[in-house]
Amino acid sequence: MTNFSSFLLFFLTAGAYMTPECFSMEIIGGREVSPHSRPFMASIQYGATHICGGVLIHPQWVLTAAHCHPRFVQSQSATVVLGAHSLSKNEASKKTFRIKDFIPFPRFTSDPESNDIMLVKLHRAAKLDKHIQLLYPRFKNDIRAGTKCHVTGWGATNPEDSDPSDTLQEVTVSVISRKLCNSRSYHNHHPIITKDMICAGDTKGQKDACPGDSGGPLVCKGALYALVSGGGKCGVAKKPGVYSLLTHKYQAWIKNNLDPSHRN
């Protein structure tokens, strides 16, 4: 599946001792975004500690990575925070929602590497405003290698330190072909990059997503095309980030769950 998922346990066990602060460093090779300029971003939290990112695609639904809800945290209080820029500051725009349901893609259990996608249903619909807005997926079966995309999140800003960033960060990465990503000098089929996955990063290893960014969006040409899934140690040139591509196979599943008959 993902090496990012192993960091969930670190965040949860260390969460009681973490004091969020604004880091002078930025997401690897990236920058802090203008406050509230990415109003679709969601922070998935356990025990009030940020674990994963997500995307608000409907007033009551967030799209994220399925590994963001592992078995060992199911007993902890899970919430979704919308309208945030800083995780620590008491921003008036920030709204916290209880979670009504986690719905991983049905084939995640049998094939987690290729199906690391999940819907999170909020206990009530969010009120949309300038700080909380939707970003609906653009379903596409492939993205051309070399395409420039943006990945956004509150994940770690230092490959040697798993502490999350207090403020929302963004970095530009380039899509890498599956053939190259599966090659011996890259991921060497660990994991196998299938047609439902893509790699994206930087040839020098200076631009990447990190632990805590899982479930966050990969936005290409203004559209949501993929979600952060995992990869090797972040910031390594030939171990680029792995993303779940929002292919057409997920389209019917998402629309079926967002249908009014499923909003009880």
Side-chain angles (χ1 to χ4, degrees), residues 58 60-61 121 255-264:
H58 176 280
Q60 202 171 358
W61 293 90
K121 186 175 185 180
K255 289 185 175 181
N256 183 56
N257 280 286
L258 268 58
D259 186 89
S261 64
H262 294 268
R263 300 180 200 159
N264 298 322

Side-chain angles (χ1 to χ4, degrees), residues 68-84:
C68 291
H69 187 52
R71 295 177 182 177
F72 61 78
V73 300
Q74 289 185 0
S75 61
Q76 297 204 20
S77 174
T79 56
V80 168
V81 176
L82 301 175

Side-chain angles (χ1 to χ4, degrees), residues 208-234:
D208 202 0
C210 258
D213 290 321
S214 290
L218 185 74
V219 174
C220 311
K221 300 178 181 178
L224 171 62
Y225 281 120
L227 301 172
V228 179
S229 179
K233 185 177 180 180
C234 56

Side-chain angles (χ1 to χ4, degrees), residues 38-198:
R38 307 293 185 270
F40 48 81
M41 285 297 299
S43 169
I44 298 174
Q45 304 187 0
Y46 290 92
T49 297
H50 172 82
I51 296 299
C52 282
V55 184
L56 188 69
I57 62 170
H58 176 280
Q60 202 171 358
W61 293 90
V62 168
L63 191 63
T64 187
H67 78 260
C68 291
H69 187 52
R71 295 177 182 177
F72 61 78
V73 300
Q74 289 185 0
S75 61
Q76 297 204 20
S77 174
T79 56
V80 168
V81 176
L82 301 175
H85 177 67
S86 165
L87 294 177
S88 65
K89 293 181 179 178
N90 188 21
E91 299 168 328
S93 60
K94 193 183 297 184
K95 301 293 186 295
T96 301
F97 297 81
R98 299 192 311 275
I99 293 174
K100 185 172 183 178
D101 201 5
F102 292 93
I103 307 176
F105 188 70
R107 279 177 268 171
F108 172 70
T109 302
S110 60
D111 187 7
E113 291 181 351
S114 296
N115 297 288
D116 190 16
I117 181 172
M118 176 172 65
L119 282 164
V120 177
K121 186 175 185 180
L122 309 181
H123 79 284
R124 60 181 172 85
K127 182 179 180 181
L128 303 182
D129 56 29
K130 65 180 181 179
H131 297 124
I132 300 176
Q133 296 179 19
L134 308 179
L135 182 64
Y136 198 70
R138 180 77 59 84
F139 299 99
K140 194 175 180 71
N141 284 334
D142 205 1
I143 304 178
R144 182 178 298 178
T147 301
K148 300 290 185 182
C149 303
H150 304 287
V151 58
T152 311
W154 287 277
T157 59
N158 185 336
E160 305 302 325
D161 188 348
S162 296
D163 287 356
S165 171
D166 179 62
T167 54
L168 190 60
Q169 309 283 316
E170 186 171 87
V171 65
T172 301
V173 293
S174 298
V175 175
I176 298 168
S177 72
R178 290 186 185 86
K179 181 178 180 180
L180 181 58
C181 205
N182 277 319
S183 68
R184 181 175 297 180
S185 59
Y186 275 67
H187 281 297
N188 195 25
H189 294 89
H190 298 288
I192 298 173
I193 310 303
T194 70
K195 61 182 178 62
D196 297 309
M197 303 156 70
I198 59 170

